[in-house]
Amino acid sequence: MDADAEAWDWQLLDQGTFTDNFRNDNSPKRTYLCCEVKHPGQGSGIPPGQERGVLRNQSARDPRFSRHAEARLLKLIQSWNLDPNLNYTVTCFLSWSPCADCAQRLAEFLQKNRHVSLNLYASRIYSLGQYERGLCTLSKAGASIAIMTAREFEHCWDTFVLHQERRFQPWLDLDKESQKFSETLRGILQTGCPNPFWHPTFSFSFSLQKLGSCCMVGLHPGELCLREGEMLGLSPRKCSHPRALPPPLPGQSREEVGHPRSGLGGIRSGSFPKARLVRGMNPWHYYPRYPLEKISPGTFFFHFPSLRYASGRKLCYLCFQVEGGREEDSWYDLGIFQNKVYPQAPCHAEACFLSWFRDQNLSPEEHYRVTWFISWSPCPTCAEDVVEFLEEYRNVTLSIYTARLYYFWDPDFQDGLHKLWCAGVHLDIMSFEDYEDCWETFVDHKGMRFQSWDLLRDNNWLAAELENILR
């Protein structure tokens, strides 16, 4: 056996070690990482009995020889013979969130291993160095990052602690500290870490000159990226120069960067697509006009699980199918829109779709059937926009299948869903068949079979809740 091979430090922690290091109202020096891996069963490549364990950071007098718990976990996983055709879900509970370096390593791992999904729950936030950028990078790579609540602490106690039948006892300030760290993390992930050469509030009327060897057009938020003073990308097919293709983010497939639908034409130097303004937004912000074609498996498994409460999932993905026209001249289209989280003017996925759909030269003589598979149900404003759209376009029918209910306890959000229902929209929670259809149609699965894992964890509860709201 390799002397440098990693192995779990413990299968179970003693009660004192867990409490001293995971209490979120103190600041221990060490990092403990409790991990469990879900896999299909036989043939997973994971040694029997090694699906769960605990690691701790290894300190040394010389910092160069110290090893963080996250780096040790990656080395352990890479020693396993994981099957690239199977899906694995790695869930970690950490006493401290990852440092910037470990977050970058985890993001690179997810980029190279699309069949692995990562869920991270931290007791507290490690706030040294470029930790904010590291967390943003990791989140963009498809990892789920959240702060541990009483539910996660109790799960860790039951799963990773030699508790001797003692029940988990929350400490006095557990909820208060958890809420504090959750708000901090939410602020980090919502603000994001844009490239220092790029800013979303540049006016789109500002024309850039030729930089390097790439011809630039008017600035398009979300589609231009400046790095080290050099133009790295427009959406594919908007510029013929090979360096004009934007590099994917960690965990993003090339298709996920987004590009115009075929047949809509490209952009020549000095031209700019027609803008459609968002209600209440500055004139330089406008709807993204072109849907994505595919998302990565990691993005799908992170953003589409059917959960009552899904912390850390600030993005909404809308997968759509459109059918219309007569048999001799039928039209079928599909794609994906993602909300744009600009601090001054957010752009919801539903609004992106409506803007794109209006531009498709709809015929009043034909009937169009639209289906949405969406990770969050619409907010009240989007619900009203959809109702207004359907009143204007009587020849369009809409079915919405949602993975989760957005603020289902809020009367305004409940009222928005009820208005959709009264307007003739078919509303339902995504079923197993819907998930399977989305996997085959909208996910860049590279031949991997669909496995539901925990995608439908709270499906029945959400279906009953939606029925009560519509009632």
Side-chain angles (χ1 to χ4, degrees):
M1 182 177 179
D2 186 355
D4 294 328
E6 286 292 354
W8 299 119
D9 292 329
W10 303 275
Q11 294 293 329
L12 296 174
L13 292 171
D14 63 75
Q15 299 175 26
T17 300
F18 175 79
T19 303
D20 291 344
N21 288 277
F22 276 87
R23 280 190 64 138
N24 56 7
D25 57 357
N26 61 12
S27 299
K29 294 182 179 180
R30 291 190 178 276
T31 297
Y32 281 78
L33 184 155
C34 303
C35 177
E36 53 188 350
V37 182
K38 293 188 177 181
H39 58 86
Q42 292 183 349
S44 67
I46 302 176
Q50 296 299 304
E51 299 89 350
R52 181 184 298 124
V54 182
L55 291 171
R56 186 184 70 183
N57 64 320
Q58 292 183 343
S59 302
R61 291 185 178 180
D62 188 337
R64 294 176 299 173
F65 299 105
S66 298
R67 293 193 297 167
H68 288 193
E70 300 90 336
R72 296 185 61 201
L73 174 66
L74 285 180
K75 188 172 182 180
L76 176 61
I77 293 176
Q78 289 166 344
S79 71
W80 298 337
N81 186 25
L82 301 185
D83 188 340
N85 295 315
L86 301 178
N87 293 321
Y88 301 82
T89 301
V90 179
T91 303
C92 299
F93 305 90
L94 300 106
S95 56
W96 288 101
S97 63
C99 69
D101 184 56
C102 288
Q104 181 64 38
R105 292 185 185 184
L106 290 168
E108 291 172 357
F109 173 81
L110 292 176
Q111 184 181 20
K112 296 176 182 177
N113 297 272
R114 303 292 178 85
H115 57 302
V116 178
S117 301
L118 179 62
N119 303 317
L120 296 180
Y121 296 90
S123 174
R124 57 185 77 78
I125 295 178
Y126 179 80
S127 56
L128 295 178
Q130 302 262 334
Y131 73 99
E132 293 176 322
R133 184 171 296 276
L135 293 174
C136 289
T137 299
L138 187 53
S139 176
K140 290 176 182 178
S144 164
I145 309 174
I147 297 298
M148 293 177 68
T149 64
R151 177 180 178 182
E152 283 76 44
F153 284 114
E154 184 175 15
H155 174 76
C156 273
W157 178 270
D158 293 339
T159 308
F160 298 102
V161 176
L162 188 62
H163 49 70
Q164 298 175 332
E165 304 302 322
R166 288 185 58 189
R167 296 183 60 184
F168 173 70
Q169 297 295 324
W171 45 93
L172 181 61
D173 292 330
L174 186 154
D175 292 335
K176 176 183 176 182
E177 295 296 315
S178 178
Q179 180 67 22
K180 178 186 72 175
F181 286 120
S182 293
E183 291 175 358
T184 301
L185 178 63
R186 188 180 303 115
I188 293 171
L189 299 182
Q190 286 181 347
T191 302
C193 300
N195 192 286
F197 290 97
W198 178 85
H199 196 279
T201 57
F202 286 153
S203 168
F204 65 72
S205 63
F206 177 69
S207 295
L208 297 175
Q209 301 300 318
K210 191 173 182 181
L211 290 180
S213 58
C214 214
C215 184
M216 314 259 285
V217 298
L219 184 62
H220 183 174
E223 291 190 347
L224 293 183
C225 177
L226 298 180
R227 184 172 297 169
E228 298 174 356
E230 182 178 357
M231 168 64 178
L232 286 185
L234 289 172
S235 290
R237 293 207 291 269
K238 285 192 177 180
C239 178
S240 61
H241 195 282
R243 293 176 63 190
L245 296 177
L249 294 170
Q252 232 180 358
S253 63
R254 174 66 66 175
E255 292 82 358
E256 206 171 303
V257 175
H259 65 273
R261 306 298 293 176
S262 58
L264 294 180
I267 295 181
R268 295 174 298 175
S269 178
S271 66
F272 202 77
K274 179 179 67 176
R276 181 176 295 275
L277 299 183
V278 185
R279 180 188 306 174
M281 78 191 304
N282 293 330
W284 47 82
H285 287 288
Y286 63 101
Y287 291 128
R289 287 176 53 93
Y290 306 116
L292 312 173
E293 285 194 344
K294 299 283 185 178
I295 57 176
S296 68
T299 299
F300 181 71
F301 280 111
F302 175 54
H303 286 284
F304 276 87
S306 201
L307 303 172
R308 295 192 216 185
Y309 308 101
S311 60
R313 292 165 173 85
K314 65 182 182 297
L315 298 180
C316 176
Y317 285 86
L318 186 157
C319 306
F320 69 86
Q321 295 175 331
V322 179
E323 300 175 84
R326 297 176 293 273
E327 289 188 7
E328 62 275 13
D329 187 25
S330 61
W331 176 43
Y332 178 80
D333 210 340
L334 52 85
I336 307 163
F337 279 107
Q338 171 200 315
N339 64 325
K340 300 300 178 183
V341 193
Y342 299 139
Q344 289 116 332
C347 176
H348 288 192
E350 300 90 332
C352 296
F353 172 84
L354 293 179
S355 175
W356 171 85
F357 195 43
R358 288 177 188 272
D359 289 340
Q360 302 308 306
N361 297 320
L362 304 181
S363 170
E365 307 298 327
E366 299 176 2
H367 179 69
Y368 300 93
R369 296 172 299 281
V370 179
T371 303
W372 290 357
F373 302 98
I374 192 167
S375 58
W376 286 107
S377 60
C379 71
T381 301
C382 288
E384 291 182 5
D385 289 343
V386 170
V387 171
E388 292 176 3
F389 175 86
L390 294 176
E391 289 176 352
E392 181 181 354
Y393 293 88
R394 300 282 183 172
N395 56 333
V396 176
T397 58
L398 175 63
S399 299
I400 300 177
Y401 300 90
T402 182
R404 294 183 300 276
L405 297 176
Y406 192 42
Y407 284 96
F408 58 85
W409 59 87
D410 189 303
D412 291 336
F413 286 76
Q414 295 176 359
D415 186 53
L417 295 177
H418 196 264
K419 288 179 179 178
L420 288 171
W421 182 260
C422 293
V425 176
H426 176 78
L427 282 167
D428 207 348
I429 301 297
M430 288 179 65
S431 65
F432 176 87
E433 290 75 16
D434 296 326
Y435 277 104
E436 196 170 35
D437 183 36
C438 276
W439 175 265
E440 293 298 332
T441 307
F442 301 103
V443 178
D444 185 22
H445 52 71
K446 301 187 187 304
M448 288 192 295
R449 293 175 299 160
F450 173 70
Q451 295 163 344
S452 62
W453 294 104
D454 288 336
L455 283 175
L456 286 82
R457 184 189 305 175
D458 294 333
N459 182 272
N460 292 334
W461 187 93
L462 289 168
E465 184 66 21
L466 178 61
E467 185 177 352
N468 290 333
I469 291 173
L470 300 181
R471 215 178 261 165

